[in-house]
Amino acid sequence: MSAITHEQSLEQFHEQLAYVLANYHSHGKRISNYHNVVIGGLGGSGIGGRITRLAFLQQSPVPVEVFSEYGLPAYADAKTLVILCSYSGNTEETLSMFAQAKSRGCDMICVAAAGKLKDLAAEHGLAYYSVALGYQPRMTLGFGLGTLVMIMGELLGGDSTGLIQEVEKMFQQPAAIMEKARAMYSVFKPTIANKFVVVCDLPYEAVAIRFCQQIQENAKGEAFVSVLPEANHNMIESYYEKHDTNFLFLNSGTNPRVNARFEFLQGVLSKLGNVIYQYPVSDASLISQFEVIHATDWVSIWASNDKGADNMQVGIIMQLKGHLEGLK
């Protein structure tokens, strides 16, 4: 059991970025040495990879993909860089990916707090980055995402130190973010037991997934992601009547045609009396994404408290782990 509560992890979030800055060391790798990059991880240890992939989508000259699976794609070979993240270091899917990466001759970087992944990295002389102990995995996004941003920045020939420093500074005085979080929660509080649908554009897809994961694990509620423009070609046809749904809109504003789609969808949902909140997103930058993540993380905690859900326990997940252990 973690001794650190979700509230404490959010209040002290800047310390995670400070840890990354203090413990990061050069891996000495360059993107030109690889045909592709695969980031592997699950749950709270995997979402940082999804955010990082999208953050560097327009910068990376080679494909960067994220896998939350037991296996690697067929194309993973000696020209693939595999970055594996597991807070415990014992996630069975991630360890399976490690074994495959090793057998195929992939280069690797490992991010873990402890466990087998840490030991394997030391055994094979791989680049390794630490994470502080004492947290639950979903509390550690600052460690994981911060480290991955530093890794990718260096890989692409740059330096993300200044960016992480700016994010750390923002969270040293988070009053403005908290105000936005409270405004958002005031809209959803009366219907907090309803499911959530996060409508987003591509730059915010991973941020939307993160919020859904937090609602699911912390508040024990259903939550789903709807990405525009794709969802305008199918999901929009389900909106002929009011739904028992809390709609959160996350739009980076980077595409005028997608902006028009958001406006149309908001009109459709509003006329039917649906509950909608459009977060005041500034842009598609990582700094803005960190802000939205922090605000929505608070919403998931307040939701758990109002619903009487124990956000420190994940009983069914633990039952599943016991079930799988019994099959070995």
Side-chain angles (χ1 to χ4, degrees):
M1 172 61 67
S2 169
I4 300 171
T5 66
H6 291 281
E7 290 87 348
Q8 289 170 335
S9 70
L10 290 172
E11 290 164 355
Q12 302 163 5
F13 191 76
H14 65 280
E15 296 180 1
Q16 297 191 28
L17 286 310
Y19 182 97
V20 171
L21 291 167
N23 290 276
Y24 187 79
H25 51 88
S26 175
H27 52 64
K29 304 179 189 299
R30 292 292 179 268
I31 198 72
S32 57
N33 294 327
Y34 307 102
H35 291 162
N36 48 72
V37 177
V38 171
I39 304 176
L42 291 98
S45 299
I47 190 61
R50 298 184 185 281
I51 297 168
T52 301
R53 171 187 171 271
L54 290 173
F56 289 92
L57 190 64
Q58 301 303 322
Q59 299 177 43
S60 178
V62 304
V64 178
E65 297 292 341
V66 179
F67 285 86
S68 301
E69 261 292 345
Y70 284 91
L72 297 174
Y75 60 73
D77 58 20
K79 283 292 186 178
T80 298
L81 174 63
V82 177
I83 306 172
L84 296 176
C85 305
S86 169
Y87 181 65
S88 69
N90 295 318
T91 308
E92 64 176 58
E93 298 96 325
T94 309
L95 293 175
S96 177
M97 283 189 277
F98 182 99
Q100 285 197 18
K102 192 64 184 173
S103 69
R104 297 187 193 181
C106 303
D107 195 6
M108 277 190 280
I109 295 175
C110 299
V111 182
K116 294 180 181 178
L117 187 61
K118 179 180 179 180
D119 294 342
L120 287 167
E123 178 184 341
H124 296 284
L126 302 174
Y128 163 78
Y129 295 92
S130 65
V131 179
L133 291 166
Y135 297 80
Q136 292 193 359
R138 61 191 180 280
M139 299 179 186
T140 64
L141 186 67
F143 295 118
L145 176 54
T147 299
L148 286 172
V149 169
M150 293 291 288
I151 289 171
M152 283 299 298
E154 181 185 351
L155 190 64
L156 293 168
D159 185 352
S160 299
T161 301
L163 171 61
I164 300 302
Q165 288 174 334
E166 191 172 351
V167 175
E168 180 199 4
K169 183 178 179 181
M170 177 176 68
F171 286 117
Q172 288 175 355
Q173 297 180 321
I177 301 175
M178 293 298 294
E179 184 177 345
K180 293 178 182 178
R182 293 188 187 98
M184 174 170 38
Y185 193 68
S186 68
V187 173
F188 293 135
K189 183 178 174 68
T191 54
I192 199 60
N194 289 351
K195 71 176 181 293
F196 278 82
V197 169
V198 187
V199 183
C200 63
D201 62 351
L202 181 61
Y204 275 85
E205 180 180 14
V207 174
I209 292 171
R210 161 70 175 187
F211 176 56
C212 290
Q213 291 174 341
Q214 294 292 81
I215 287 292
Q216 291 157 357
E217 284 198 74
N218 293 334
K220 319 305 179 189
E222 287 190 304
F224 307 93
V225 177
S226 175
V227 185
L228 301 186
E230 170 61 26
N232 278 170
H233 293 262
N234 34 65
M235 192 171 183
I236 196 172
E237 273 298 304
S238 65
Y239 298 139
Y240 284 97
E241 58 187 23
K242 184 178 179 180
H243 286 240
D244 293 330
T245 301
N246 296 315
F247 289 94
L248 173 61
F249 281 22
L250 299 177
N251 178 21
S252 69
T254 53
N255 187 314
R257 300 296 292 176
V258 174
N259 294 345
R261 291 174 179 276
F262 269 97
E263 292 169 5
F264 180 86
L265 179 59
Q266 185 167 18
V268 169
L269 294 173
S270 296
K271 288 178 182 178
L272 294 169
N274 287 285
V275 178
I276 308 166
Y277 183 80
Q278 179 155 348
Y279 191 93
V281 172
S282 300
D283 48 43
S285 70
L286 261 172
I287 293 174
S288 294
Q289 292 189 35
F290 264 107
E291 175 197 305
V292 176
I293 290 166
H294 199 74
T296 51
D297 272 12
W298 273 113
V299 166
S300 76
I301 298 306
W302 295 331
S304 71
N305 293 340
D306 280 349
K307 292 174 66 176
D310 188 345
N311 58 51
M312 295 296 289
Q313 299 289 341
V314 286
I316 295 179
I317 291 176
M318 297 310 295
Q319 290 175 34
L320 171 62
K321 290 184 177 180
H323 174 75
L324 294 172
E325 186 66 27
L327 297 176
K328 289 184 179 179

